Amino acid sequence: MSRRSSRRSPAITSTSPCPCGLGETLGETLGECCGPLHAGSTTAATAERLMRSRYSAFAVADEAYLLRTWHPSTRPARVELDPAVRWTRLEVLGSTGGGALHAEGTVEFRAHLTDAGRADVLHERSRFTRVDGQWVYLDAL
């Protein structure tokens, strides 16, 4: 992993609105919303919350968090994020399971981005499971 992997995008700081969109609803900044998850001072209570925090990790280029929250059986050796990609908006379309009493869950979403200035959308249905009681990303369906 490169040194830049642990740095956040200069355009997004802890006082910026949280990229996951949840912070907007609650009036929280990145530092109040997904920041504690990225720092490891708290963990995601639901699969959707983990997915939102992972989206924010993509937005701020936190490759270490992405690896830490990836299931060991599907986790790549490293993550290299493209600096030309800017994550611009997240839409959560629905979820199944993934709650406090579940062991598995899925979250369907649209992640809006620009790649070298061109708008694009990633539409995915992600699977999450628990490892040692913590939610982790397994794979995309």
Side-chain angles (χ1 to χ4, degrees), residues 3 12 16 23 34 37 47 52 64 66 74 77 81 94 99 102 105-106 110-111 116 119 123 134 138 141:
R3 288 182 191 249
I12 302 172
S16 298
C34 289
L37 291 141
R52 286 179 178 277
L66 293 170
T74 57
L81 300 176
H102 299 110
T106 62
R110 281 191 200 110
H123 184 182
Q134 305 303 311
L138 182 60
L141 297 173

Side-chain angles (χ1 to χ4, degrees), residues 14-84:
S14 63
T15 59
S16 298
C18 193
C20 82
L22 191 59
E24 279 183 30
T25 306
L26 301 174
E28 294 180 331
T29 64
L30 171 64
E32 297 164 326
C33 186
C34 289
L37 291 141
H38 294 174
S41 59
T42 190
T43 59
T46 66
E48 180 181 330
R49 188 70 185 95
L50 179 66
M51 186 280 305
R52 286 179 178 277
S53 70
R54 285 176 55 84
Y55 172 85
S56 289
F58 275 100
V60 299
D62 189 341
E63 295 169 0
Y65 181 75
L66 293 170
L67 288 170
R68 195 169 65 245
T69 57
W70 210 311
H71 194 279
S73 70
T74 57
R75 179 176 42 228
R78 39 191 303 207
V79 174
E80 293 184 35
L81 300 176
D82 185 343

Side-chain angles (χ1 to χ4, degrees), residues 110-133:
R110 281 191 200 110
H112 297 261
L113 62 119
T114 59
D115 186 354
R118 282 190 28 230
D120 202 356
V121 176
L122 169 69
H123 184 182
E124 183 172 302
R125 187 167 169 237
S126 296
R127 286 195 310 164
F128 297 87
T129 191
R130 289 184 187 264
V131 171
D132 297 328

